[in-house]
Amino acid sequence: MTIVEEEREIIEVDVLFVGGGIACLGGALHLSNLIRKHNERVEKQGKGKRLDEITIALLEKGTDIGSHSISGAIMDPIALKELVPDFLEKGAPVESEVTKEEVYLLTKKGRVKSPIIPPPLNNHGNYIVSLSRLTNWLGRLAGGNEVDIFPCFAATEVLYEGNRVIGVRTGEKGIDPDGNRKANFEPGIDLHAKVTVFGDGSRGNLTNGLIKKLKLDKGKNPQTYVVGAKEVWEIPEGRFKPGDVIHTMGYPLKSNTYGGGFIYGMKDNLVSVGLLTGLDWEDPYLDPHLEFQKFKLHPLVADILRDGKLLQYGAKTVPVGGYFSVPKIAFDGGVIVGDSASLFISQKIKGIHLAMKSGILAAETILEALLKDDFSAARLENYQTSLYKSYIGKELYKVRNFHQAFQGGLWIGLIKAGLQYILGGRILKGRLNTESDFVHQKKVTDLYGTDLPTDEQKGIIKFDGKRTFDKASDVYYSGTIHEEQQPAHLKIADLNICYTKCKEEHQNPCLRFCPANVYEMEIDEQTGKPTMKLNFSNCLHCKTCDIKDPYENITWIPPEGGGGPKYTIM
Ligand code: SF4
């Protein structure tokens, strides 16, 4: 479909934030505060250049701010204290300060309690939060502070002049599955900005394209991820208090699979329970949703959830490559913030304060850029420099080889990571290299021989619909919905690979690794011919398929704005 360019509206803004997560919202709010304070100072001192009528716009693909935001989550409040010092008085929706912590190593039925809380998992002074609630609250603060917020708008393309970023294009609306215009057709809009801030999340489609085009990952480790599946349950009063925290290692994940479980007590008898699984797993039969269901059957978790009720489900990937996987984050006309910039401390399982601080630092550089009317890479690189000098840069550096240390398995990883932490990063100094997650997956015959594994070998369990749920039921609890009459937003480059090479070598792992049952292989009863069916309306926008497909055959692109999960307490 070609759009006649005259139909396309062009909107000019000064600063454009792409993505309605914590990083962009924090940045937009901080920038509007900085501009206001700057103008007050100029007014008071009677000298200097005022910044009048600066337009700050923010695009979000979800229906509401926060509806696509999901995390464990425990938040270190250090960045929020900078951004909104009186955040509690202003009604920040924190669930509770962390009051009690336990760490367990799980076997199938047993548990060993750690006698101490490993320092990185010590959450004294941190808060349990629902990221969707916190993000929504921050969105309301930013919206009340002269930031123009546009939900339901998915940015689908970066606009360039040469190699200089000049803004983004939003997706068309009202296209039918065959690519024809429907009666409600609306062309995308071009938003031009002096500076564009990319915060399109873990494996953000725009950032991914930027990294490739501008070679922002030159000399860096490839990005690596975990996928987290999470549910929020309502449980009987007093069973698990707000502020109670449990972290687990071991079961149901095998010792060569990176990851672990969490249980966080929220207000109003709610509990957040989830499992993170490293996408560098080897087994083509691994299904992170299935592993999560097994986690809930472990006696430690089952006792907490007993007689409870599932309220919400969701999944997302998180970048865990750390310091050496952070791309160049400033270039002509733009910067990258938050998860898109791989700002996450996997050792502490924390990204919220890094996302927020990156937004704050980006805003400070953008203020300078507005004052100097200079949006070149040289000017915007001050953001990158200040990030590495800041407490988040130092935190990232201290545990720079954490995730790589686990590539030899849980036990070796624990020893290496523990020593690196205790010695303040004085061992494993140089860069440990890593490979993209999909490379790690082995062929079925490499792991199981020529006979296909039995359900028992694959660890398959029956779901009871009370404590364990199949994917379709869980997706219902995510509120996910998409306009069905649009082209699928999962692009399979070569379906032939699915029916031949991928089937033979990996038994189509997309059927298992997608936590929302988007991929389904239908077999014709007469001919035995397979057809890939995409239940794209189920998609949780987690990006696992884009990352883990062994042939890099799947690309996730944003669907029509407004589609996707409707998280409210995740
Ligand atoms: Fe995640 Fe891809 Fe499945 Fe969507 S289709 S839920 S992005 S794995």
Side-chain angles (χ1 to χ4, degrees):
M1 169 72 47
T2 314
I3 298 296
V4 182
E5 285 304 317
E6 301 85 76
E7 288 181 26
R8 202 186 297 285
E9 195 182 346
I10 297 176
I11 298 177
E12 307 272 351
V13 299
D14 291 294
V15 186
L16 176 63
F17 288 84
V18 182
I22 287 289
C24 277
L25 287 166
L29 176 60
H30 194 55
L31 181 61
S32 77
N33 282 336
L34 288 174
I35 291 171
R36 180 176 40 77
K37 284 181 196 158
H38 168 82
N39 286 341
E40 284 168 5
R41 206 164 38 244
V42 170
E43 207 60 36
K44 199 168 157 199
Q45 293 174 353
K47 59 175 186 189
K49 172 184 163 186
R50 277 182 64 92
L51 288 172
D52 286 318
E53 294 177 22
I54 298 293
T55 44
I56 307 172
L58 183 144
L59 298 180
E60 162 56 29
K61 67 181 163 60
T63 340
D64 296 305
I65 296 295
S67 62
H68 287 188
S69 297
I70 168 174
S71 184
I74 298 179
M75 174 185 69
D76 178 338
I78 184 167
L80 184 55
K81 283 179 182 166
E82 279 178 60
L83 184 65
V84 189
D86 52 350
F87 65 95
L88 289 176
E89 292 76 10
K90 283 215 163 78
V94 297
E95 299 296 320
S96 170
E97 203 168 333
V98 173
T99 50
K100 184 180 155 201
E101 294 174 83
E102 292 170 352
V103 176
Y104 290 95
L105 178 65
L106 302 185
T107 59
K108 189 167 183 185
K109 297 268 180 232
R111 69 187 88 160
V112 180
K113 187 174 172 183
S114 170
I116 54 152
I117 301 298
L121 292 180
N122 183 336
N123 281 296
H124 182 77
N126 294 336
Y127 290 90
I128 294 173
V129 295
S130 145
L131 190 62
S132 35
R133 281 180 175 164
L134 184 77
T135 308
N136 184 276
W137 169 80
L138 202 55
R140 280 183 276 126
L141 282 191
N145 223 17
E146 303 195 357
V147 177
D148 294 323
I149 295 184
F150 300 96
C152 293
F153 279 91
T156 54
E157 213 178 303
V158 180
L159 302 173
Y160 298 93
E161 254 175 26
N163 275 344
R164 185 168 70 90
V165 171
I166 58 163
V168 300
R169 177 167 293 170
T170 65
E172 290 154 8
K173 294 184 180 174
I175 300 282
D176 75 14
D178 299 320
N180 302 312
R181 292 179 184 189
K182 298 189 289 188
N184 63 346
F185 172 77
E186 283 175 36
I189 299 168
D190 283 0
L191 285 116
H192 290 182
K194 292 172 179 159
V195 58
T196 306
V197 181
F198 292 88
D200 49 342
S202 180
R203 188 71 161 204
N205 61 301
L206 297 184
T207 303
N208 214 15
L210 272 171
I211 289 174
K212 283 183 188 142
K213 180 174 165 78
L214 303 179
K215 300 188 174 52
L216 302 176
D217 57 353
K218 195 167 164 226
K220 306 283 181 172
N221 275 353
Q223 198 44 263
T224 55
Y225 300 85
V226 296
V227 56
K230 163 179 162 172
E231 292 171 350
V232 173
W233 283 60
E234 186 178 9
I235 54 169
E237 195 172 349
R239 175 78 57 75
F240 199 79
K241 297 195 184 69
D244 284 0
V245 164
I246 291 179
H247 286 114
T248 71
M249 291 173 288
Y251 185 83
L253 301 178
K254 292 185 183 149
S255 67
N256 62 355
T257 305
Y258 180 79
F262 61 85
I263 311 167
Y264 302 152
M266 300 164 71
K267 278 181 190 159
D268 303 323
N269 306 315
L270 303 190
V271 66
S272 161
V273 52
L275 184 75
L276 301 169
T277 307
L279 284 183
D280 52 0
W281 70 64
E282 292 182 347
D283 188 343
Y285 283 101
L286 197 145
D287 174 341
H289 172 270
L290 174 66
E291 298 304 300
F292 173 47
Q293 301 308 305
K294 288 194 245 172
F295 176 62
K296 289 186 292 171
L297 291 178
H298 187 279
L300 175 77
V301 191
D303 281 350
I304 293 167
L305 300 183
R306 191 170 17 91
D307 304 322
K309 189 169 83 172
L310 170 63
L311 297 183
Q312 217 159 86
Y313 164 77
K316 77 163 281 194
T317 52
V318 180
V320 291
Y323 184 86
F324 293 117
S325 294
V326 176
K328 190 168 186 295
I329 51 176
F331 37 86
D332 282 325
V335 296
I336 310 174
V337 293
D339 275 4
S340 350
S342 190
L343 300 173
F344 188 86
I345 308 276
S346 60
Q347 188 200 37
K348 293 185 176 177
I349 331 171
K350 283 196 180 47
I352 299 174
H353 69 284
L354 287 94
M356 199 176 281
K357 180 67 179 176
S358 68
I360 289 172
L361 293 169
E364 288 167 3
T365 295
I366 292 168
L367 179 77
E368 288 167 21
L370 287 166
L371 286 166
K372 302 275 181 200
D373 201 22
D374 173 6
F375 306 95
S376 64
R379 169 72 52 191
L380 296 177
E381 273 165 18
N382 288 345
Y383 156 59
Q384 180 167 294
T385 309
S386 60
L387 189 138
Y388 282 118
K389 280 189 188 155
S390 73
Y391 56 81
I392 61 169
K394 287 178 186 148
E395 258 185 297
L396 280 165
Y397 185 72
K398 194 173 173 189
V399 292
R400 58 199 173 278
N401 281 312
F402 179 78
H403 182 66
Q404 296 92 304
F406 279 83
Q407 291 191 331
L410 176 67
W411 304 114
I412 293 171
L414 279 176
I415 293 165
K416 284 184 183 171
L419 283 173
Q420 195 188 44
Y421 184 85
I422 291 162
L423 299 174
R426 288 193 293 278
I427 64 157
L428 304 178
K429 280 186 184 169
R431 180 169 104 189
L432 291 185
N433 290 324
T434 185
E435 289 180 302
S436 298
D437 291 319
F438 72 90
V439 174
H440 292 266
Q441 185 157 286
K442 297 209 160 135
K443 293 176 187 164
V444 172
T445 47
D446 291 342
L447 281 182
Y448 294 96
T450 46
D451 290 338
L452 289 182
T454 60
D455 281 358
E456 198 186 340
Q457 282 174 302
K458 289 187 247 170
I460 290 191
I461 57 163
K462 282 211 166 71
F463 304 116
D464 62 11
K466 291 185 184 129
R467 194 168 311 143
T468 53
F469 301 88
D470 61 22
K471 291 179 184 175
S473 309
D474 251 338
V475 166
Y476 169 80
Y477 286 96
S478 70
T480 292
I481 194 157
H482 291 84
E483 162 61 55
E484 303 253 359
Q485 288 306 306
Q486 64 171 309
H489 64 279
L490 292 316
K491 302 294 175 197
I492 300 185
D494 184 353
L495 270 170
N496 211 28
I497 291 180
C498 308
Y499 304 140
T500 55
K501 221 174 162 186
C502 188
K503 166 78 179 155
E504 286 152 28
E505 295 182 341
H506 295 272
Q507 290 291 313
N508 300 119
C510 60
L511 308 183
R512 296 173 291 280
F513 62 53
C514 168
N517 203 31
V518 166
Y519 301 91
E520 219 177 309
M521 197 66 87
E522 289 186 330
I523 309 290
D524 186 294
E525 280 182 15
Q526 311 279 305
T527 62
K529 200 170 159 257
T531 306
M532 176 65 85
K533 184 178 164 212
L534 292 176
N535 306 311
F536 70 85
S537 191
N538 285 2
C539 180
L540 298 168
H541 299 198
C542 75
K543 326 280 179 63
T544 301
C545 52
D546 192 290
I547 300 162
K548 188 62 180 171
D549 181 78
Y551 304 97
E552 296 183 276
N553 200 22
I554 303 175
T555 303
W556 184 97
I557 60 166
E560 267 189 19
K566 294 210 171 17
Y567 301 139
T568 55
I569 51 174
M570 297 299 272

